Amino acid sequence: MKKYTYILLVFITVLSGCKSPEARRPVTQKSGSFINESIERNRELVAREEAEILEVIERDSANEYFASNSGFWYYYNKRATDPSNTETPEFGDVVRFDYSITDIEGQVIYAEGEIPTRRYAMDKEELFGGLREGLKLMKEGEVVTFIFPSHKAFGYYGDKDKIGTNLPIRTKVTLHSITEEEQPRN
C-alpha cells in the first residue's frame, strides 16, 4: 500500500509541475497620461510663443516679414545686389556666415562679432534647426533677420551658456559666400 501511495504522490507532483508558464504582470501600469500631458504642454508653449512673436512683428512696421514653411519668420536687412543671382545653398555646399543673437525684444545675447565667422557644410554638420533652414533661404551677400520660436532655436536645454530654456530668439545672419560641394572624380 505504501508503494501505491508513493507512486500516486509522485504522479500528482509531476502533473502539478507541468503547468504552463503565466506571463508576469508589471508592478506598475502606465496609462500614457504623462505623454499626453507633455504633448498638451508643448502645444500651449508653441501657441504662446507664436502669439508673442506675432505681437512683436505687428509692432515692427519698419520691416516686411515673411513666414517660412519651416515655422519661423524673417525679414531682409539687405537683399542680394545681383538680381540674376538665384543661387541658394544646397546639401553639402559650404557657406561662410556671421550671426548675432538677441531675444525677440532685441536684448543682446551674443553681439555681432562675439561669435566668430562660421564655415558650415550644409546639412552635414551640427547647427540649430532654425538657422540651418534659414541659411537655405539666403543668397550670397544677403543679411537676414530671423525670428525663431524656441523649438526651432535651442529648445528646452538652451545653449547651456547665455540662452535659457524655451527662449524664442532673433538671429541676424550675414551670408558671405556659398561654395559648391566638390564632386568626386571618377
Side-chain angles (χ1 to χ4, degrees):
M1 191 67 174
K2 277 185 163 185
K3 186 178 180 183
Y4 290 116
T5 309
Y6 180 72
I7 292 174
L8 184 63
L9 191 61
V10 168
F11 183 71
I12 291 173
T13 305
V14 168
L15 283 179
S16 66
C18 294
K19 185 174 136 182
S20 64
E22 283 185 32
R24 294 184 294 173
R25 302 281 177 226
V27 177
T28 60
Q29 292 183 351
K30 304 231 177 197
S31 65
S33 63
F34 174 76
I35 292 172
N36 294 336
E37 289 170 6
S38 178
I39 290 169
E40 189 56 36
R41 276 192 310 271
N42 286 331
R43 283 183 180 153
E44 289 172 5
L45 175 67
V46 168
R48 201 170 42 247
E49 285 181 4
E50 285 184 3
E52 187 179 355
I53 290 169
L54 292 174
E55 184 179 305
V56 167
I57 290 171
E58 191 175 303
R59 288 192 316 246
D60 184 6
S61 60
N63 296 300
E64 179 184 2
Y65 284 85
F66 301 92
S68 76
N69 294 333
S70 300
F72 57 85
W73 294 261
Y74 63 99
Y75 65 87
Y76 291 92
N77 300 74
K78 178 184 169 198
R79 289 196 181 254
T81 53
D82 182 7
S84 65
N85 178 14
T86 59
E87 182 184 347
T88 58
E90 295 178 6
F91 178 82
D93 290 348
V94 176
V95 296
R96 196 171 60 82
F97 66 97
D98 287 311
Y99 67 105
S100 61
I101 300 175
T102 65
D103 67 12
I104 62 171
E105 296 296 335
Q107 296 297 315
V108 175
I109 298 173
Y110 291 104
E112 289 188 38
E114 189 173 348
I115 302 171
T117 299
R118 177 95 192 256
R119 289 178 51 84
Y120 170 69
M122 292 299 294
D123 297 327
K124 290 186 172 185
E125 298 175 28
E126 288 294 317
L127 192 64
F128 70 89
L131 185 53
R132 185 174 53 244
E133 294 300 317
L135 284 168
K136 293 176 184 177
L137 301 172
M138 296 180 69
K139 298 176 190 136
E140 200 170 280
E142 288 185 329
V143 180
V144 177
T145 298
F146 298 98
I147 298 181
F148 299 117
S150 65
H151 66 276
K152 289 289 180 182
F154 293 92
Y156 178 75
Y157 294 105
D159 73 342
K160 298 186 176 151
D161 189 14
K162 294 182 176 183
I163 299 173
T165 299
N166 296 326
L167 183 69
I169 60 171
R170 190 184 296 244
T171 305
K172 183 178 176 184
V173 181
T174 303
L175 182 58
H176 299 294
S177 65
I178 302 171
T179 308
E180 289 186 26
E181 178 181 35
E182 291 186 26
Q183 301 298 322
R185 295 180 191 197
N186 292 341

